[in-house]
Amino acid sequence: MTDQLEQLLKQARTESLREVLAPGTDQVRRTVRRRRGILAGTGAVVAVGVIASGIALAGGGGGGGDVAPIAPLPVAPPPPSAELWVPEGPLPSPDPVLESRFAAADAALGDRQKEPFVMGTTGVVSPDYENHVNDMAADDYQLYVYCGGKGTIDVVVKAGQAGDTKLAAGTVECADRPDPEPLAFTQPVTGYLRVFLSGDKQASDKGAFSFKFVRVADLVVPASAESVANAEKAARLLTAAGVSAPEKVTTERDKAVDSPHPAGDYRASFGCAGPGTMSFIIRSGKTLRDGTVATNGQTQTAVSYRCTAAGKITKDVAMKLPAGSAFTVTAEADDPARDRAGWAWAITPA
């Protein structure tokens, strides 16, 4: 063994002994990486040294003397694994207060099937939370931030992956039952935006938050009492005309309702009450594999007329439904009818 090889092995053993007692998970990871590098480099030198020694000994001119065996190299113990590291002592017990606040913040997001939102998340309040949201479509939004607990959260929304272009900013009060005012903003182009939440001392590490983005077009606005009353009036008119079980619909927004039936002949009846003009369209669309009704189906009937305070109905419009299809009933209200008029409809076998 050459003097150079002996020196390298001595250095490797010294480095290994120095790092055996590395404290902490991060230090373990750094130690493992360094040790692997040292041993790998030493192994390469050892292999070259052994090959070189063997060539020298074998090519010594046939002297006939026995070659002394090379002593086995010491094998270093396997390095500690960061993935298997377990902290000493019992794990901390869950905080029931924080768990209840987390559950309240999560519940505040609501049912996505009933109140659609684009994206939502829940977490524990901290002084410097940051969330990057990608592929956010250009549109008008409202950001709802809920905080369960005490204290406040400062909220800032910025456009893009970098920079300080502010889209919205405000402060949210934490409470046992959070019910904040939303922050309205416009995403100018489809792409990234960033959400920054900064909890104060009362809220940080002791409160829970959730937030969601809601498209303004998807906001669920409750119908006015006038629209509800007029929808009931339209339904009573259809019932009095012999139409059974009509569906009542309000006009706070335009609506399309799918009505699946077996293939066959049918009669449609509909009516409205209140101010303004209503347009009714009934189509028969193919039922897709997941149960969705296609929107490009054949128009079965289309009627537009001015509603009246006493109400007005159209009864028994003949329609045919092909196999594998369903009806879609759509009604559109003009501005005078919006959230004031009400309508009702029914589809019955011929």
Side-chain angles (χ1 to χ4, degrees):
M1 185 179 301
T2 66
D3 292 340
Q4 182 182 7
L5 179 59
E6 177 64 26
Q7 186 64 30
L8 287 170
L9 289 172
K10 182 178 179 180
Q11 179 184 351
R13 286 193 293 270
T14 302
E15 289 288 336
S16 296
L17 289 173
R18 186 184 306 144
E19 294 168 350
V20 164
L21 299 178
T25 304
D26 291 338
Q27 186 62 38
V28 167
R29 291 195 181 102
R30 291 194 293 270
T31 300
V32 170
R33 284 196 291 270
R34 278 204 303 269
R35 185 176 299 140
R36 285 175 179 166
I38 293 168
L39 293 178
T42 306
V45 175
V46 169
V48 173
V50 170
I51 293 171
S53 301
I55 292 173
L57 292 169
D66 292 336
V67 178
I70 298 176
L73 296 174
V75 179
S81 171
E83 286 71 25
L84 298 179
W85 180 80
V86 178
E88 295 182 0
L91 294 174
S93 300
D95 182 347
V97 175
L98 182 57
E99 284 189 333
S100 66
R101 290 172 176 173
F102 194 94
D106 189 57
L109 293 175
D111 186 343
R112 194 169 190 171
Q113 299 301 319
K114 297 179 180 178
E115 299 179 355
F117 56 86
V118 176
M119 174 265 184
T121 191
T122 307
V124 176
V125 179
S126 70
D128 54 358
Y129 174 87
E130 181 176 345
N131 192 315
H132 287 219
V133 183
N134 60 355
D135 294 332
M136 197 73 166
D139 210 334
D140 295 325
Y141 294 92
Q142 289 192 350
L143 172 62
Y144 292 79
V145 180
Y146 307 91
C147 177
K150 297 180 180 179
T152 62
I153 299 178
D154 287 341
V155 183
V156 179
V157 183
K158 295 183 180 181
Q161 291 179 274
D164 290 319
T165 302
K166 180 180 65 176
L167 299 179
T171 299
V172 174
E173 296 281 344
C174 303
D176 292 334
R177 294 185 178 180
D179 185 24
E181 288 294 323
L183 291 174
F185 70 95
T186 297
Q187 171 74 334
V189 295
T190 298
Y192 267 82
L193 61 77
R194 291 160 292 149
V195 179
F196 300 85
L197 305 181
S198 177
D200 64 8
K201 290 183 178 180
Q202 275 190 301
S204 295
D205 300 325
K206 305 178 187 67
F209 75 86
S210 65
F211 69 80
K212 65 181 179 181
F213 295 98
V214 180
R215 292 175 62 244
V216 171
D218 292 334
L219 288 172
V220 178
V221 180
S224 68
E226 182 181 5
S227 183
V228 171
N230 280 324
E232 292 175 348
K233 183 183 293 185
R236 287 197 299 269
L237 290 173
L238 289 174
T239 301
V243 178
S244 60
E247 297 284 340
K248 296 172 285 190
V249 189
T250 51
T251 56
E252 71 278 7
R253 59 186 175 88
D254 293 337
K255 298 176 182 177
V257 183
D258 293 335
S259 182
H261 296 277
D265 295 324
Y266 291 88
R267 297 286 184 267
S269 301
F270 43 86
C272 70
T277 298
M278 297 290 300
S279 298
F280 300 95
I281 303 173
I282 301 179
R283 295 184 177 92
S284 56
K286 179 182 176 182
T287 303
L288 306 182
R289 283 186 290 272
D290 67 351
T292 303
V293 180
T295 58
N296 60 349
Q298 181 180 357
T299 299
Q300 297 290 331
T301 186
V303 176
S304 179
Y305 53 69
R306 185 177 297 278
C307 303
T308 65
K312 183 176 181 179
I313 65 171
T314 299
K315 184 183 174 187
D316 293 339
V317 177
M319 301 185 303
K320 185 178 290 291
L321 184 65
S325 299
F327 291 118
T328 297
V329 182
T330 303
E332 297 177 351
D334 66 3
D335 288 342
R338 176 72 63 215
D339 205 24
R340 297 186 63 194
W343 60 284
W345 65 279
I347 295 176
T348 55

